[in-house]
Amino acid sequence: MLSCAASSPPSPPPPDYAHNKAGTIPSMEGAHHEFKDNVIIVVFGASGDLAKKKTFPALFGLYKLGYMPEGVRIVGYARTKMDETEFHRRATSYIKNPNEEEEIKTKVEEFKAMSTYVSGGYDDDASFQNLEKHLQEIEAKFQGGERNRIFYLALPPSVFLPVAKGIKKNNYTPAGHNRIIVEKPFGKDLQSSRDLLSSLKQDWEENETFRIDHYLGKEMVKNILVLRFANKFYGSGWDKNSISNVQITFKEPFGTEGRGGYFDEFGIIRDILQNHLLQVLTVLTMERPVSFAPEDIRDEKVKVLRSIPPIERSDTLLGQYVGANGKPGYLEDDTVPRGSNCPTFAAVTLWINNPRWEGVPFILKAGKALNEAKVEIRIQYKDVTQGIFKDIARNELVIRIQPSEAVYVKINTKTPGLYTRAIPTEMDLTYKRRFTDAKIPEAYEALILDAIKGDHSNFVRDDELDGAWKIFTPILHWIEGRHGPAPRPHPYPYGSRGPKGLDDFLSKYGFKRGEPNYIWPVTNVPNVATS
């Protein structure tokens, strides 16, 4: 048994804020049970890519910053047979230390010392009982009476339920609190999701269950609530009277790259729109909650979802990338079924039938093999009253989620100099320029910390999941040809902006493309002024 390394104490806040309560959110504090000590985190699927690339680096990041419970232990569990030396190599292979800092090297060795590995199956009691024996050996060295366990399921959906049941039967501690963290996908449509939820609820209470949508852990998504409800000037124009249309966009510059078989089973809508982008939409459009306590926030998100009718076929644009620029097309991926109609690009328009948002189109777009990597929210305001300015650009509020986190407002201002003309520019809050000494945490770091604290604010509740599937299931069944011929996605070249009809699709909902010579974040005045 490897020795246990104690977690370092939490980093103190900057001096200016150490004794200043201004800006704190009391309703987010003390509303849940935080694990302080005597904690084991068990990572199922410890030999897989998700654990190696996301889960273990996030756990290390929290340990390095001092946010782990005192004396925490980490146990990896998977079917792969390997010794702890190999497990430690895999678990730390994606931990970044580009400058070879000795402090980080030391922390890595401490992280290894607090991590152990157990190999076993996912569907037999004997394997789970062997894991239980290992957990009890660790807990025998804990001080005090309480024993707390967090079970992180970095697993494919095919083994999710047997593992959840095996844990409850064999590894659920009666001596403390148990929490289970679940990765998407949560079903493939409304009925399969309900079946999954029903099976899970037979063993796990809702307050023990943490369903991860990692977009809710991203810094700029978590910032939306503060931007909206801590700034008076946003509230007055945050409705149908001022806003023309909203786009929430996800773009990847690469294709399936040999993972087409897995992707084809789920598609871009299940992979991105039904969860990540829809969750962003709910945070963006929800009413002001009573407080920032988890259930108050999630209650308001559910109200938004219940106000959105199922997506219409006429409000949908589908695409599939073809080979271009020396890159292969989707159907050229050997792992993709021959002749697949699976969309690799989708744009859908949602409508929220409530007094604030009635008539405002919310366009969710996502695609692979596009021209850039970008996730952003673009809120386009209505035209200013006519009569003074000619063809003036619309105002836009853009929240750049990744990369280069930023919030900027596109405004019109007078051209510098002796000539009076309105040109577009921006008020720009780019994080890396404004907060030069701040480290933006990875989404998984933020969410695992929330789970340790028992804070459900940024996790998906069961009724949220049900509401989301009601919106998307009819369109998914149409795409799969369950009720007639399946639609054929429009081809688009690898490395392009998307299908040829994208601009017409956006303009149908009132979106006006801006000044062609305007480029954020630098405005070239001569170019804009002479266009």
Side-chain angles (χ1 to χ4, degrees), residues 240 243-244 351-354 356-362 509:
K240 64 184 180 183
I243 293 173
S244 168
W351 306 89
I352 303 175
N353 295 332
N354 66 19
R356 180 183 294 274
W357 296 115
E358 186 175 31
V360 177
F362 289 83
Y509 300 103

Side-chain angles (χ1 to χ4, degrees), residues 454-508:
D455 182 355
H456 281 85
S457 302
N458 298 302
F459 293 88
V460 182
R461 200 167 67 187
D462 54 355
D463 51 351
E464 285 185 73
L465 196 56
D466 202 69
W469 280 120
K470 284 180 181 177
I471 295 166
F472 278 92
T473 291
I475 207 77
L476 288 167
H477 286 179
W478 170 58
I479 291 168
E480 292 167 349
R482 296 198 190 185
H483 307 296
R488 292 204 64 84
H490 299 279
Y492 63 94
Y494 195 120
S496 65
R497 289 179 53 242
K500 187 177 180 180
L502 178 59
D503 285 339
D504 289 341
F505 181 83
L506 297 176
S507 64
K508 181 171 72 170

Side-chain angles (χ1 to χ4, degrees), residues 271-287:
D271 196 33
I272 304 296
L273 276 74
Q274 182 271 340
N275 39 70
H276 301 330
L277 301 194
L278 186 62
Q279 283 293 321
V280 172
L281 181 146
T282 61
V283 177
L284 190 72
T285 59
M286 60 182 263
E287 294 298 320

Side-chain angles (χ1 to χ4, degrees), residues 410-441:
K410 188 174 171 183
I411 62 171
N412 294 297
T413 188
K414 176 188 171 299
T415 310
L418 298 175
Y419 183 61
T420 300
R421 176 182 177 177
I423 61 168
T425 184
E426 68 284 323
M427 294 189 291
D428 186 354
L429 170 58
T430 297
Y431 269 46
K432 65 183 178 183
R433 290 203 299 265
R434 181 65 180 88
F435 306 115
T436 55
D437 58 346
K439 175 191 177 294
I440 295 177

Side-chain angles (χ1 to χ4, degrees), residues 51-222:
K52 180 172 65 175
K53 295 178 180 178
K54 297 294 184 182
T55 313
F56 287 120
L59 290 169
F60 173 76
L62 291 174
Y63 175 71
K64 182 183 68 172
L65 294 172
Y67 283 102
M68 281 291 203
E70 185 69 25
V72 67
R73 296 296 301 273
I74 296 169
V75 177
Y77 183 94
R79 288 184 286 217
T80 304
K81 294 187 182 300
M82 56 180 163
D83 59 22
E84 286 191 350
T85 301
E86 174 61 16
F87 167 63
H88 289 154
R89 185 192 68 79
R90 294 192 188 194
T92 59
S93 60
Y94 277 78
I95 291 174
K96 298 174 183 177
N97 187 15
N99 299 322
E100 295 293 316
E101 296 178 35
E102 289 301 321
E103 182 182 359
I104 295 179
K105 288 181 180 180
T106 300
K107 289 291 185 184
V108 168
E109 293 306 311
E110 293 173 0
F111 185 71
K112 290 178 181 179
M114 57 192 265
S115 306
T116 53
Y117 180 76
V118 176
S119 172
Y122 291 143
D123 55 3
D124 63 293
D125 287 340
S127 292
F128 288 100
Q129 288 162 8
N130 184 48
L131 171 63
E132 177 63 18
K133 180 182 176 183
H134 182 64
L135 299 181
Q136 290 187 14
E137 288 173 355
I138 294 172
E139 290 174 340
K141 300 179 181 179
F142 286 170
Q143 303 296 315
E146 189 171 88
R147 306 287 185 264
N148 300 306
R149 296 179 180 179
I150 297 175
F151 303 97
Y152 191 118
L153 274 55
L155 293 168
S158 58
V159 295
F160 164 68
L161 279 179
V163 170
K165 286 183 177 296
I167 294 170
K168 182 59 185 284
K169 182 179 179 181
N170 300 285
N171 308 121
Y172 190 95
T173 178
H177 293 82
N178 299 268
R179 291 171 185 165
I180 187 167
I181 302 176
V182 184
E183 284 277 355
K184 76 174 184 73
F186 310 118
K188 297 185 69 174
D189 59 10
L190 180 60
Q191 189 57 51
S192 62
S193 173
R194 285 178 171 175
D195 292 343
L196 190 64
L197 287 173
S198 176
S199 296
L200 184 62
K201 283 185 175 182
Q202 293 175 16
D203 300 303
W204 294 89
E205 300 288 338
E206 182 67 21
N207 64 357
E208 297 174 320
T209 306
F210 293 75
R211 298 179 193 88
I212 275 194
D213 184 320
H214 75 271
Y215 266 59
L216 291 175
K218 290 185 177 292
E219 182 72 13
M220 298 311 295
V221 177
K222 296 182 81 167

